[in-house]
Amino acid sequence: QVHLVESGGGLVQPGGSLRLSCEISGSGFSIYAMGWYRRPPGKQRELVARITSGDSTNVADSVKGRFTISRDSAKNTVFLQMNSLKFEDTAVYYCKFWDSRRNVDYWGQGTQVTVSS
């Protein structure tokens, strides 16, 4: 009964910004980390950023300095602020929640981010 909903994707020009959100709902889970992955067209999925329940973060080198991950634990929501977007940032972005209670991971449905001039 766990459900994830992503939002915030869209079309943006190079240098622009977008903010992605992902909220989890349901019961019986204990989230110890949240993160974002992306899958560019024709390429494999890659980790973009991750944040733990203690607010430690890990950001991929390709987006470091441009993307910021944050969370709202009260709302069970993770965010990805994307600034200075580049063509190579075009991808489907997926949120992920790590559940320490059920020992499983949850994935969002994906949201399209397109960077185009």
Side-chain angles (χ1 to χ4, degrees), residues 1-2 25-31 99-104 106:
Q1 62 179 7
V2 176
S25 62
S27 62
F29 57 78
S30 180
I31 304 301
D99 185 352
S100 62
R101 179 170 295 171
R102 298 179 59 186
N103 294 314
V104 296
Y106 309 107

Side-chain angles (χ1 to χ4, degrees), residues 49-52 54-59 68-71:
R50 179 162 47 198
I51 185 169
T52 69
D55 285 327
S56 63
T57 60
N58 190 350
V59 181
T68 303
I69 188 170
S70 61
R71 69 185 182 97

